[in-house]
Amino acid sequence: MLMKKLLRFPLTLVLLLFCTISFAQVELGDFSSIPDSLKVKTNDELISYIRANINKPKIHDDFIVYANALLEKAERENNIENIARANYYYCWISESQGNFEVALDYIEKALRIAKENNFGDKKLAFLYRKIGLINFRLGNFEAALNYYMKELKIAKRFNYYDREITLLLNIALLKLDFGDKKDAYRVLQINLKILDSLDKSETSYPRALEERIGAMMALGKNYTLFGKLDTALKTYEDAYELSKEKLPIESTFLKAGIGNVLTLQKKYTEAASYLDRAEQMADSLDITDLKPFIYLHKGNNYFGLKKYKRAII
């Protein structure tokens, strides 16, 4: 969801920039671009390079060429698993370029191969997760929910509690978007119950704090939709106390959430300080997605304070 002036450069940097501007010109599936030196590399060498570079901010030609080389070799050797793996990498490349429909086609192809060749539930779960995420980014929320539920069944069977926690939160948020407040609440309670059952040490599950705060943020939204504003406020405040030292982004969202609830409670002066601070933090951390939410509730707040001109602005 988060992808990000040239005034004066030394000549060497200008030349360097010129050389890198042409990234991602190689087409997926263009086997003619594969140099002979890659055709003799082993599958492990090709895969190792791709894995080492897959999380870099920009996709360059060489990454695509390696993915093409993997698929070409896999098709030549009839290596079904690597054909599926190459389609996953093609999905990742297309997704990183914002081509979500194309990415979905590639990952669905990988899933078909995995099902037809009995790759096993653990690999299916990985593919379900990716398909759910891409459908979510496309706004296909029902499809996203369906695939998250498929992965959840597998996560439960193998006791992947970390995936189960994340999936339950995603499912709850989707249900909230559908207006299914009661079921969202039920799912969030299950999520928190699992978190409570874990060893409290961070070495046991380092993301436990982040997951708990995420669940509490969703619960706060849930209580707000139910009109239980006091409970929503307490939930947001408790989550903020947990997040303020280590998680600045979550803290910013929670400041905005508290300001929203206080505005709904008509505590306009108190709400203003939270919304102002949330806006400052969002600017500092470059959280552009939160700005419309803050502006909406600052407008409501100014309206409640009868500062109508400020509300319109």
Side-chain angles (χ1 to χ4, degrees):
M1 116 182 196
L2 296 176
M3 304 257 328
K4 310 274 174 222
K5 232 166 159 193
L6 171 66
L7 295 177
R8 188 176 297 170
F9 277 101
L11 179 59
T12 52
L13 288 183
V14 172
L15 289 173
L16 211 65
L17 181 63
F18 178 79
C19 291
T20 57
I21 277 175
S22 62
F23 82 92
Q25 295 300 307
V26 175
E27 293 184 6
L28 296 175
D30 178 12
F31 295 166
S32 66
S33 65
I34 304 169
D36 291 339
S37 58
L38 284 191
K39 291 182 179 180
V40 298
K41 285 188 178 291
T42 66
N43 288 319
D44 286 345
E45 287 173 325
L46 294 171
I47 293 167
S48 293
Y49 176 88
I50 293 169
R51 286 177 173 170
N53 289 274
I54 199 166
N55 288 318
K56 291 188 176 178
K58 289 185 178 179
I59 300 298
H60 292 272
D61 282 353
D62 53 355
F63 185 94
I64 299 175
V65 171
Y66 266 78
N68 285 341
L70 179 65
L71 181 58
E72 188 275 336
K73 186 178 181 67
E75 290 182 348
R76 180 159 34 91
E77 298 175 349
N78 197 30
N79 186 326
I80 303 301
E81 187 168 347
N82 278 347
I83 292 174
R85 181 178 278 114
N87 275 278
Y88 168 76
Y89 293 142
Y90 279 8
C91 162
W92 191 90
I93 292 165
S94 301
E95 180 188 14
S96 69
Q97 294 172 342
N99 299 325
F100 299 123
E101 294 281 3
V102 176
L104 187 59
D105 287 341
Y106 281 124
I107 198 65
E108 286 179 338
K109 182 176 180 180
L111 179 63
R112 285 195 300 272
I113 294 170
K115 285 183 173 180
E116 290 168 1
N117 293 276
N118 300 313
F119 281 8
D121 282 345
K122 291 183 180 181
K123 291 181 178 177
L124 289 179
F126 180 77
L127 295 170
Y128 289 149
R129 180 189 319 169
K130 193 67 173 174
I131 296 175
L133 175 61
I134 294 172
N135 272 296
F136 182 84
R137 289 180 172 172
L138 283 166
N140 302 332
F141 299 130
E142 289 191 24
L145 180 60
N146 179 45
Y147 281 102
Y148 285 149
M149 293 297 291
K150 288 176 183 286
E151 187 192 354
L152 180 61
K153 289 181 181 178
I154 298 172
K156 284 177 177 290
R157 191 158 69 251
F158 289 101
N159 293 319
Y160 293 157
Y161 63 83
D162 54 339
R163 283 304 305 160
E164 188 174 351
I165 289 165
T166 302
L167 283 162
L168 286 167
L169 179 56
N170 290 341
I171 290 165
L173 290 170
L174 282 167
K175 287 181 178 292
L176 279 174
D177 286 338
F178 292 149
D180 192 352
K181 302 189 292 290
K182 289 184 178 179
D183 210 33
Y185 178 81
R186 180 185 64 79
V187 172
L188 287 167
Q189 291 300 320
I190 294 171
N191 192 353
L192 288 170
K193 187 175 180 179
I194 295 170
L195 282 164
D196 288 338
S197 71
L198 300 178
D199 184 337
K200 297 300 185 285
S201 69
E202 291 195 356
T203 54
S204 168
Y205 183 36
R207 284 178 52 83
L209 176 62
E210 188 175 344
E211 296 286 5
R212 178 176 293 280
I213 290 167
M216 293 173 75
M217 289 168 68
L219 266 176
K221 179 178 179 180
N222 189 275
Y223 287 131
T224 302
L225 292 171
F226 271 118
K228 298 180 178 180
L229 299 182
D230 290 339
T231 308
L233 182 61
K234 179 67 165 57
T235 303
Y236 281 140
E237 289 173 339
D238 289 347
Y240 176 75
E241 287 301 313
L242 290 173
S243 71
K244 64 182 181 181
E245 299 294 335
K246 296 183 178 180
L247 301 168
I249 293 176
E250 286 79 356
S251 296
T252 306
F253 276 85
L254 287 160
K255 280 276 189 183
I258 292 169
N260 172 35
V261 176
L262 289 170
T263 298
L264 294 172
Q265 292 180 322
K266 300 183 180 181
K267 298 176 182 178
Y268 302 119
T269 302
E270 191 178 350
S273 64
Y274 281 96
L275 293 168
D276 286 343
R277 181 58 183 147
E279 184 177 8
Q280 292 167 8
M281 292 168 71
D283 285 336
S284 173
L285 296 166
D286 194 25
I287 313 174
T288 55
D289 291 349
L290 185 56
K291 296 288 188 68
F293 178 87
I294 295 172
Y295 294 151
L296 172 64
H297 294 291
K298 286 191 77 169
N300 292 339
N301 192 268
Y302 283 128
F303 194 85
L305 291 168
K306 298 183 180 179
K307 297 181 179 180
Y308 302 122
K309 290 184 178 179
R310 294 294 301 274
I312 293 170
I313 293 172

